[in-house]
mmCIF file with all atom_site columns, all heavy atoms in Angstrom:
data_model
loop_
_atom_site.group_PDB
_atom_site.id
_atom_site.type_symbol
_atom_site.label_atom_id
_atom_site.label_alt_id
_atom_site.label_comp_id
_atom_site.label_asym_id
_atom_site.label_entity_id
_atom_site.label_seq_id
_atom_site.pdbx_PDB_ins_code
_atom_site.Cartn_x
_atom_site.Cartn_y
_atom_site.Cartn_z
_atom_site.occupancy
_atom_site.B_iso_or_equiv
_atom_site.pdbx_formal_charge
_atom_site.auth_seq_id
_atom_site.auth_comp_id
_atom_site.auth_asym_id
_atom_site.auth_atom_id
_atom_site.pdbx_PDB_model_num
ATOM 1   N N   . GLY A 1 42 ? 6.374  15.020 -3.231  1.00 0.00 ? 1211 GLY A N   1
ATOM 2   C CA  . GLY A 1 42 ? 6.899  16.156 -3.970  1.00 0.00 ? 1211 GLY A CA  1
ATOM 3   C C   . GLY A 1 42 ? 6.879  17.378 -3.075  1.00 0.00 ? 1211 GLY A C   1
ATOM 4   O O   . GLY A 1 42 ? 5.822  17.758 -2.572  1.00 0.00 ? 1211 GLY A O   1
ATOM 5   N N   . VAL A 1 43 ? 8.037  17.987 -2.854  1.00 0.00 ? 1212 VAL A N   1
ATOM 6   C CA  . VAL A 1 43 ? 8.156  19.084 -1.894  1.00 0.00 ? 1212 VAL A CA  1
ATOM 7   C C   . VAL A 1 43 ? 8.480  20.387 -2.617  1.00 0.00 ? 1212 VAL A C   1
ATOM 8   O O   . VAL A 1 43 ? 9.445  20.472 -3.382  1.00 0.00 ? 1212 VAL A O   1
ATOM 9   C CB  . VAL A 1 43 ? 9.252  18.784 -0.850  1.00 0.00 ? 1212 VAL A CB  1
ATOM 10  C CG1 . VAL A 1 43 ? 9.344  19.907 0.168   1.00 0.00 ? 1212 VAL A CG1 1
ATOM 11  C CG2 . VAL A 1 43 ? 8.968  17.451 -0.160  1.00 0.00 ? 1212 VAL A CG2 1
ATOM 12  N N   . ALA A 1 44 ? 7.656  21.410 -2.361  1.00 0.00 ? 1213 ALA A N   1
ATOM 13  C CA  . ALA A 1 44 ? 7.851  22.728 -2.949  1.00 0.00 ? 1213 ALA A CA  1
ATOM 14  C C   . ALA A 1 44 ? 8.816  23.552 -2.094  1.00 0.00 ? 1213 ALA A C   1
ATOM 15  O O   . ALA A 1 44 ? 9.026  23.244 -0.911  1.00 0.00 ? 1213 ALA A O   1
ATOM 16  C CB  . ALA A 1 44 ? 6.509  23.449 -3.060  1.00 0.00 ? 1213 ALA A CB  1
ATOM 17  N N   . PRO A 1 45 ? 9.407  24.622 -2.645  1.00 0.00 ? 1214 PRO A N   1
ATOM 18  C CA  . PRO A 1 45 ? 10.325 25.473 -1.868  1.00 0.00 ? 1214 PRO A CA  1
ATOM 19  C C   . PRO A 1 45 ? 9.694  26.040 -0.601  1.00 0.00 ? 1214 PRO A C   1
ATOM 20  O O   . PRO A 1 45 ? 10.398 26.279 0.393   1.00 0.00 ? 1214 PRO A O   1
ATOM 21  C CB  . PRO A 1 45 ? 10.684 26.582 -2.857  1.00 0.00 ? 1214 PRO A CB  1
ATOM 22  C CG  . PRO A 1 45 ? 10.545 25.944 -4.203  1.00 0.00 ? 1214 PRO A CG  1
ATOM 23  C CD  . PRO A 1 45 ? 9.384  25.014 -4.075  1.00 0.00 ? 1214 PRO A CD  1
ATOM 24  N N   . ASN A 1 46 ? 8.377  26.256 -0.600  1.00 0.00 ? 1215 ASN A N   1
ATOM 25  C CA  . ASN A 1 46 ? 7.710  26.798 0.593   1.00 0.00 ? 1215 ASN A CA  1
ATOM 26  C C   . ASN A 1 46 ? 7.309  25.729 1.598   1.00 0.00 ? 1215 ASN A C   1
ATOM 27  O O   . ASN A 1 46 ? 6.660  26.027 2.599   1.00 0.00 ? 1215 ASN A O   1
ATOM 28  C CB  . ASN A 1 46 ? 6.484  27.618 0.186   1.00 0.00 ? 1215 ASN A CB  1
ATOM 29  C CG  . ASN A 1 46 ? 5.392  26.773 -0.475  1.00 0.00 ? 1215 ASN A CG  1
ATOM 30  O OD1 . ASN A 1 46 ? 5.549  25.558 -0.626  1.00 0.00 ? 1215 ASN A OD1 1
ATOM 31  N ND2 . ASN A 1 46 ? 4.317  27.412 -0.866  1.00 0.00 ? 1215 ASN A ND2 1
ATOM 32  N N   . GLY A 1 47 ? 7.684  24.484 1.319   1.00 0.00 ? 1216 GLY A N   1
ATOM 33  C CA  . GLY A 1 47 ? 7.384  23.388 2.232   1.00 0.00 ? 1216 GLY A CA  1
ATOM 34  C C   . GLY A 1 47 ? 6.121  22.625 1.927   1.00 0.00 ? 1216 GLY A C   1
ATOM 35  O O   . GLY A 1 47 ? 5.874  21.565 2.499   1.00 0.00 ? 1216 GLY A O   1
ATOM 36  N N   . ALA A 1 48 ? 5.274  23.140 1.035   1.00 0.00 ? 1217 ALA A N   1
ATOM 37  C CA  . ALA A 1 48 ? 4.069  22.413 0.634   1.00 0.00 ? 1217 ALA A CA  1
ATOM 38  C C   . ALA A 1 48 ? 4.473  21.107 -0.054  1.00 0.00 ? 1217 ALA A C   1
ATOM 39  O O   . ALA A 1 48 ? 5.535  21.025 -0.687  1.00 0.00 ? 1217 ALA A O   1
ATOM 40  C CB  . ALA A 1 48 ? 3.224  23.268 -0.308  1.00 0.00 ? 1217 ALA A CB  1
ATOM 41  N N   . SER A 1 49 ? 3.636  20.086 0.089   1.00 0.00 ? 1218 SER A N   1
ATOM 42  C CA  . SER A 1 49 ? 3.995  18.796 -0.508  1.00 0.00 ? 1218 SER A CA  1
ATOM 43  C C   . SER A 1 49 ? 2.758  18.037 -0.941  1.00 0.00 ? 1218 SER A C   1
ATOM 44  O O   . SER A 1 49 ? 1.640  18.332 -0.513  1.00 0.00 ? 1218 SER A O   1
ATOM 45  C CB  . SER A 1 49 ? 4.803  17.957 0.481   1.00 0.00 ? 1218 SER A CB  1
ATOM 46  O OG  . SER A 1 49 ? 4.005  17.571 1.586   1.00 0.00 ? 1218 SER A OG  1
ATOM 47  N N   . ASN A 1 50 ? 2.963  17.068 -1.817  1.00 0.00 ? 1219 ASN A N   1
ATOM 48  C CA  . ASN A 1 50 ? 1.899  16.159 -2.230  1.00 0.00 ? 1219 ASN A CA  1
ATOM 49  C C   . ASN A 1 50 ? 2.377  14.726 -2.059  1.00 0.00 ? 1219 ASN A C   1
ATOM 50  O O   . ASN A 1 50 ? 3.550  14.412 -2.241  1.00 0.00 ? 1219 ASN A O   1
ATOM 51  C CB  . ASN A 1 50 ? 1.480  16.413 -3.681  1.00 0.00 ? 1219 ASN A CB  1
ATOM 52  C CG  . ASN A 1 50 ? 2.602  16.193 -4.685  1.00 0.00 ? 1219 ASN A CG  1
ATOM 53  O OD1 . ASN A 1 50 ? 3.546  16.981 -4.757  1.00 0.00 ? 1219 ASN A OD1 1
ATOM 54  N ND2 . ASN A 1 50 ? 2.510  15.127 -5.463  1.00 0.00 ? 1219 ASN A ND2 1
ATOM 55  N N   . LEU A 1 51 ? 1.452  13.868 -1.667  1.00 0.00 ? 1220 LEU A N   1
ATOM 56  C CA  . LEU A 1 51 ? 1.751  12.464 -1.390  1.00 0.00 ? 1220 LEU A CA  1
ATOM 57  C C   . LEU A 1 51 ? 1.285  11.580 -2.541  1.00 0.00 ? 1220 LEU A C   1
ATOM 58  O O   . LEU A 1 51 ? 0.212  11.792 -3.105  1.00 0.00 ? 1220 LEU A O   1
ATOM 59  C CB  . LEU A 1 51 ? 1.037  12.028 -0.111  1.00 0.00 ? 1220 LEU A CB  1
ATOM 60  C CG  . LEU A 1 51 ? 1.093  10.540 0.253   1.00 0.00 ? 1220 LEU A CG  1
ATOM 61  C CD1 . LEU A 1 51 ? 2.507  10.145 0.678   1.00 0.00 ? 1220 LEU A CD1 1
ATOM 62  C CD2 . LEU A 1 51 ? 0.091  10.240 1.368   1.00 0.00 ? 1220 LEU A CD2 1
ATOM 63  N N   . CYS A 1 52 ? 2.093  10.592 -2.880  1.00 0.00 ? 1221 CYS A N   1
ATOM 64  C CA  . CYS A 1 52 ? 1.721  9.569  -3.864  1.00 0.00 ? 1221 CYS A CA  1
ATOM 65  C C   . CYS A 1 52 ? 2.368  8.254  -3.466  1.00 0.00 ? 1221 CYS A C   1
ATOM 66  O O   . CYS A 1 52 ? 3.169  8.187  -2.520  1.00 0.00 ? 1221 CYS A O   1
ATOM 67  C CB  . CYS A 1 52 ? 2.182  9.961  -5.270  1.00 0.00 ? 1221 CYS A CB  1
ATOM 68  S SG  . CYS A 1 52 ? 1.008  10.975 -6.209  1.00 0.00 ? 1221 CYS A SG  1
ATOM 69  N N   . GLY A 1 53 ? 2.024  7.221  -4.183  1.00 0.00 ? 1222 GLY A N   1
ATOM 70  C CA  . GLY A 1 53 ? 2.656  5.924  -4.003  1.00 0.00 ? 1222 GLY A CA  1
ATOM 71  C C   . GLY A 1 53 ? 3.406  5.527  -5.265  1.00 0.00 ? 1222 GLY A C   1
ATOM 72  O O   . GLY A 1 53 ? 3.289  6.179  -6.305  1.00 0.00 ? 1222 GLY A O   1
ATOM 73  N N   . GLY A 1 54 ? 4.174  4.479  -5.172  1.00 0.00 ? 1223 GLY A N   1
ATOM 74  C CA  . GLY A 1 54 ? 4.887  3.954  -6.315  1.00 0.00 ? 1223 GLY A CA  1
ATOM 75  C C   . GLY A 1 54 ? 5.339  2.533  -6.018  1.00 0.00 ? 1223 GLY A C   1
ATOM 76  O O   . GLY A 1 54 ? 5.201  2.053  -4.889  1.00 0.00 ? 1223 GLY A O   1
ATOM 77  N N   . SER A 1 55 ? 5.880  1.860  -7.021  1.00 0.00 ? 1224 SER A N   1
ATOM 78  C CA  . SER A 1 55 ? 6.319  0.474  -6.854  1.00 0.00 ? 1224 SER A CA  1
ATOM 79  C C   . SER A 1 55 ? 7.688  0.276  -7.490  1.00 0.00 ? 1224 SER A C   1
ATOM 80  O O   . SER A 1 55 ? 7.904  0.682  -8.640  1.00 0.00 ? 1224 SER A O   1
ATOM 81  C CB  . SER A 1 55 ? 5.332  -0.487 -7.514  1.00 0.00 ? 1224 SER A CB  1
ATOM 82  O OG  . SER A 1 55 ? 4.035  -0.352 -6.970  1.00 0.00 ? 1224 SER A OG  1
ATOM 83  N N   . LEU A 1 56 ? 8.601  -0.328 -6.739  1.00 0.00 ? 1225 LEU A N   1
ATOM 84  C CA  . LEU A 1 56 ? 9.891  -0.702 -7.311  1.00 0.00 ? 1225 LEU A CA  1
ATOM 85  C C   . LEU A 1 56 ? 9.689  -1.870 -8.262  1.00 0.00 ? 1225 LEU A C   1
ATOM 86  O O   . LEU A 1 56 ? 9.218  -2.938 -7.864  1.00 0.00 ? 1225 LEU A O   1
ATOM 87  C CB  . LEU A 1 56 ? 10.866 -1.100 -6.207  1.00 0.00 ? 1225 LEU A CB  1
ATOM 88  C CG  . LEU A 1 56 ? 11.500 0.047  -5.421  1.00 0.00 ? 1225 LEU A CG  1
ATOM 89  C CD1 . LEU A 1 56 ? 12.107 -0.481 -4.123  1.00 0.00 ? 1225 LEU A CD1 1
ATOM 90  C CD2 . LEU A 1 56 ? 12.557 0.759  -6.257  1.00 0.00 ? 1225 LEU A CD2 1
ATOM 91  N N   . ILE A 1 57 ? 10.023 -1.655 -9.537  1.00 0.00 ? 1226 ILE A N   1
ATOM 92  C CA  . ILE A 1 57 ? 9.910  -2.746 -10.507 1.00 0.00 ? 1226 ILE A CA  1
ATOM 93  C C   . ILE A 1 57 ? 11.288 -3.260 -10.921 1.00 0.00 ? 1226 ILE A C   1
ATOM 94  O O   . ILE A 1 57 ? 11.393 -4.165 -11.737 1.00 0.00 ? 1226 ILE A O   1
ATOM 95  C CB  . ILE A 1 57 ? 9.094  -2.326 -11.744 1.00 0.00 ? 1226 ILE A CB  1
ATOM 96  C CG1 . ILE A 1 57 ? 9.743  -1.112 -12.432 1.00 0.00 ? 1226 ILE A CG1 1
ATOM 97  C CG2 . ILE A 1 57 ? 7.653  -2.020 -11.352 1.00 0.00 ? 1226 ILE A CG2 1
ATOM 98  C CD1 . ILE A 1 57 ? 9.183  -0.830 -13.814 1.00 0.00 ? 1226 ILE A CD1 1
ATOM 99  N N   . SER A 1 58 ? 12.319 -2.640 -10.367 1.00 0.00 ? 1227 SER A N   1
ATOM 100 C CA  . SER A 1 58 ? 13.696 -3.121 -10.509 1.00 0.00 ? 1227 SER A CA  1
ATOM 101 C C   . SER A 1 58 ? 14.492 -2.515 -9.362  1.00 0.00 ? 1227 SER A C   1
ATOM 102 O O   . SER A 1 58 ? 13.941 -1.804 -8.520  1.00 0.00 ? 1227 SER A O   1
ATOM 103 C CB  . SER A 1 58 ? 14.293 -2.707 -11.865 1.00 0.00 ? 1227 SER A CB  1
ATOM 104 O OG  . SER A 1 58 ? 14.645 -1.342 -11.866 1.00 0.00 ? 1227 SER A OG  1
ATOM 105 N N   . GLU A 1 59 ? 15.790 -2.757 -9.318  1.00 0.00 ? 1228 GLU A N   1
ATOM 106 C CA  . GLU A 1 59 ? 16.619 -2.204 -8.250  1.00 0.00 ? 1228 GLU A CA  1
ATOM 107 C C   . GLU A 1 59 ? 16.608 -0.683 -8.237  1.00 0.00 ? 1228 GLU A C   1
ATOM 108 O O   . GLU A 1 59 ? 16.791 -0.056 -7.197  1.00 0.00 ? 1228 GLU A O   1
ATOM 109 C CB  . GLU A 1 59 ? 18.059 -2.700 -8.400  1.00 0.00 ? 1228 GLU A CB  1
ATOM 110 C CG  . GLU A 1 59 ? 18.266 -4.139 -7.950  1.00 0.00 ? 1228 GLU A CG  1
ATOM 111 C CD  . GLU A 1 59 ? 18.472 -4.243 -6.452  1.00 0.00 ? 1228 GLU A CD  1
ATOM 112 O OE1 . GLU A 1 59 ? 18.575 -3.212 -5.783  1.00 0.00 ? 1228 GLU A OE1 1
ATOM 113 O OE2 . GLU A 1 59 ? 18.547 -5.378 -5.950  1.00 0.00 ? 1228 GLU A OE2 1
ATOM 114 N N   . ARG A 1 60 ? 16.386 -0.058 -9.417  1.00 0.00 ? 1229 ARG A N   1
ATOM 115 C CA  . ARG A 1 60 ? 16.530 1.401  -9.496  1.00 0.00 ? 1229 ARG A CA  1
ATOM 116 C C   . ARG A 1 60 ? 15.315 2.135  -10.043 1.00 0.00 ? 1229 ARG A C   1
ATOM 117 O O   . ARG A 1 60 ? 15.289 3.370  -10.021 1.00 0.00 ? 1229 ARG A O   1
ATOM 118 C CB  . ARG A 1 60 ? 17.748 1.757  -10.359 1.00 0.00 ? 1229 ARG A CB  1
ATOM 119 C CG  . ARG A 1 60 ? 19.072 1.329  -9.751  1.00 0.00 ? 1229 ARG A CG  1
ATOM 120 C CD  . ARG A 1 60 ? 20.245 1.876  -10.524 1.00 0.00 ? 1229 ARG A CD  1
ATOM 121 N NE  . ARG A 1 60 ? 20.340 3.339  -10.435 1.00 0.00 ? 1229 ARG A NE  1
ATOM 122 C CZ  . ARG A 1 60 ? 21.292 4.047  -11.028 1.00 0.00 ? 1229 ARG A CZ  1
ATOM 123 N NH1 . ARG A 1 60 ? 22.228 3.436  -11.750 1.00 0.00 ? 1229 ARG A NH1 1
ATOM 124 N NH2 . ARG A 1 60 ? 21.322 5.360  -10.902 1.00 0.00 ? 1229 ARG A NH2 1
#
Side-chain angles (χ1 to χ4, degrees):
V1212 182
N1215 65 0
S1218 67
N1219 62 289
L1220 173 70
C1221 272
S1224 301
L1225 282 163
I1226 59 167
S1227 76
E1228 284 277 354
R1229 294 189 67 180

